[in-house]
Amino acid sequence: MTNLPDFRYVRPTSVDDAVKALAAPGALPIAGATDLLPNLRRGLKQPEALVDLTAIGGLAMLEETAEGWLIGAGLPLAALADHPSLSRHLPVLAEAARAVAGPTHRAAGTVGGNLCQDTRCIFYNQSEWWRSGNGYCLKYQGDRCHVAPKTSRCFATYRGDLAPALLVLGAEAELASAGGRRNLPLAQLFQDDGAAHLTLAPGEILVAVKVPRNDRLVAGYAKLRVRDSIDFPLVGVAAALERDGDRLVRLRLAITGTNSAPLAVSTEGLEGEAWDEKTAKALADRLNKTAKLQNTTTIGMKYRRRVLLAAARRLIDGLWEQGKAP
């Protein structure tokens, strides 16, 4: 770890002031800092200014409406995990929030921070001394991706827990910039590039997530990690389904810890079918094609692929039983 670099500290009290401050060259947003601070200490970021979002009113909201839920980007993960109404109606979100790191991380970390966290790789998340000895990497200061040297892109992996759960729930992101506010499907907040995985425009911030109400969906999240107490997912999978008798009315699947972005897995043509060996095999084939695992962790990609497929099958089997009519 290195000393923190010199930077200006700005603490706006409104979204408008925050986006103005973030429009300055070299400015970065900060809230819980559970992701950003370790990167600063490793010399992975050299900001000119840190814009603290924690004084902005309304960013830590969680509101239930007739249409669904409005979740502020500044809401602490612990509050999301423990919210009684959300735990009752959308338990997958509480489940995913509880899966993040440890209790102190969840008390400080925020919904927006978890969604917008940096991608990770064993060649990137290292000390300055270690990285310089390896000639740096394509994600920061180098000119090659060490896990895939023959490619021209970075394969650092996205490892957020909330994103796949929100993707299967059909969530939308609300963004704010100097030009105003816009809404987009949450999937469009990300792109599959480890060095540039967010589609946020310069100075733009995530202010809220909108989750539509659908009481017929049953959903769950499964996370595999080395240490259950604190680690990022080696792989994570969220699923949501609606069952009518022996048929899948709807089926959604999303993954994390595999690619440079959280991704939805196509279920086109599987809805309307029974959840049986044939459907499970077809979904596993699509999951295999979507998950572009690389050796970005100390755990081999072949093992991670096997546990991903097993976790997805086990999760959907359980949801299928849960979705039976009473």
Side-chain angles (χ1 to χ4, degrees):
M1 294 293 185
T2 62
N3 293 329
L4 290 178
D6 292 333
F7 52 80
R8 290 183 296 106
Y9 175 74
V10 185
R11 196 166 191 250
T13 57
S14 70
V15 171
D16 287 345
D17 288 342
V19 296
K20 288 177 184 176
L22 286 166
L28 292 176
I30 187 170
T34 56
D35 183 54
L36 180 60
L37 185 57
N39 282 351
L40 291 175
R41 294 295 305 275
R42 289 190 173 105
L44 292 169
K45 305 286 184 182
Q46 301 290 334
E48 295 291 328
L50 289 183
V51 181
D52 186 346
L53 305 179
T54 58
I56 300 174
L59 278 192
M61 65 182 167
L62 201 167
E63 298 178 2
E64 184 176 357
T65 69
E67 293 76 29
W69 283 264
L70 185 63
I71 303 170
L75 184 75
L77 294 168
L80 187 68
D82 297 333
H83 193 276
S85 179
L86 199 75
S87 297
R88 187 165 57 253
H89 294 285
L90 289 177
V92 64
L93 280 188
E95 185 181 353
R98 284 192 295 269
V100 178
T104 55
H105 298 91
R106 294 192 291 272
T110 62
V111 169
N114 189 264
L115 288 171
C116 296
Q117 66 180 264
D118 201 3
T119 51
R120 305 183 65 81
C121 179
I122 53 173
F123 290 97
Y124 173 69
N125 298 96
Q126 301 287 352
S127 67
E128 167 67 17
W129 172 84
W130 193 97
R131 287 181 290 112
S132 65
N134 283 274
Y136 299 101
C137 72
L138 189 60
K139 184 168 170 64
Y140 189 66
Q141 295 185 323
D143 58 5
R144 63 187 296 223
C145 178
H146 294 292
V147 300
K150 295 182 180 180
T151 65
S152 59
R153 59 152 287 190
C154 168
F155 281 89
T157 308
Y158 181 86
R159 295 172 187 264
D161 291 298
L162 290 184
L166 287 165
L167 286 176
V168 299
L169 294 174
E172 287 190 346
E174 181 181 349
L175 310 178
S177 69
R181 300 203 180 196
R182 64 186 178 115
N183 295 305
L184 74 167
L186 185 69
Q188 295 179 20
L189 179 64
F190 307 98
Q191 57 189 5
D192 200 12
D193 182 342
H197 69 294
L198 296 175
T199 61
L200 293 170
E204 193 170 40
I205 59 171
L206 175 68
V207 295
V209 176
K210 299 177 180 180
V211 185
R213 180 182 297 277
N214 191 319
D215 295 331
R216 294 183 178 181
L217 280 179
V218 291
Y221 176 62
K223 174 178 180 175
L224 291 306
R225 49 185 165 175
V226 175
R227 297 169 295 182
D228 280 344
S229 56
I230 58 173
D231 279 346
F232 288 93
L234 295 172
V235 293
V237 57
L241 62 83
E242 179 185 344
R243 176 178 178 176
D244 183 8
D246 290 331
R247 292 288 179 266
L248 282 164
V249 177
R250 268 187 291 183
L251 175 63
R252 298 170 181 168
L253 190 71
I255 53 178
T256 186
T258 60
N259 297 59
S260 296
L263 295 177
V265 178
S266 172
T267 57
E268 184 179 356
L270 301 182
E271 294 170 339
E273 300 293 327
W275 179 247
D276 54 20
E277 288 300 323
K278 179 182 176 182
T279 306
K281 174 64 167 57
L283 185 62
D285 290 342
R286 297 182 188 191
L287 179 54
N288 241 331
K289 292 176 182 177
T290 304
K292 304 299 184 185
L293 290 149
Q294 298 286 342
N295 285 319
T296 53
T297 75
T298 57
I299 307 300
M301 59 183 180
K302 291 183 179 179
Y303 171 78
R304 290 162 58 214
R305 185 174 295 279
R306 288 198 297 270
V307 297
L308 173 67
L309 294 171
R313 176 63 190 268
R314 185 181 304 166
L315 177 62
I316 298 176
D317 282 349
L319 294 175
W320 177 251
E321 290 301 313
Q322 186 181 336
K324 280 183 178 178

